[in-house]
Amino acid sequence: LITLAFWTLNIPASCTVGYVKKGQPVMHPKKVVMHYLQTWFLIDMLVLLPEWASEFASGFNAESTDDTSSMRLARALRLFRVMR
């Protein structure tokens, strides 16, 4: 649950981090948010929504684990993003 909370809070945090375009840093808030929404937001949602659904379905039970292949793939995609 701690990891899920961390990645959930990472979404608004990602909207505050600039990016580089044509070798120049871009820090304008509206452009940063739009860039995030057009790049990683959908992937973040595809990873986090099933995780949150799993947590709600299990009733936030710490002993319940649901490591289906789709969840593993979602986590792997998230890890790839972090390593990038």
Side-chain angles (χ1 to χ4, degrees), residues 3-17 36 40-41 44-45 48 78 81-82:
T3 304
L4 183 56
F6 172 82
W7 288 117
T8 301
L9 293 173
N10 185 57
I11 291 176
S14 294
C15 293
T16 64
V17 178
Y36 173 66
W40 287 104
F41 181 74
D44 287 345
M45 287 293 103
L48 284 173
R78 187 70 184 174
R81 177 183 178 210
V82 171

Side-chain angles (χ1 to χ4, degrees), residues 33-82:
V33 169
M34 291 306 297
H35 182 262
Y36 173 66
L37 291 174
Q38 294 171 349
T39 55
W40 287 104
F41 181 74
L42 181 60
I43 294 169
D44 287 345
M45 287 293 103
L46 289 174
V47 171
L48 284 173
L49 289 178
E51 292 283 343
W52 274 112
S54 174
E55 285 297 322
F56 280 110
S58 70
F60 293 93
N61 184 355
E63 295 177 11
S64 175
T65 58
D66 183 15
D67 286 330
T68 62
S69 60
S70 62
M71 290 294 184
R72 288 181 184 177
L73 176 62
R75 289 182 184 130
L77 287 172
R78 187 70 184 174
L79 180 62
F80 173 74
R81 177 183 178 210
V82 171

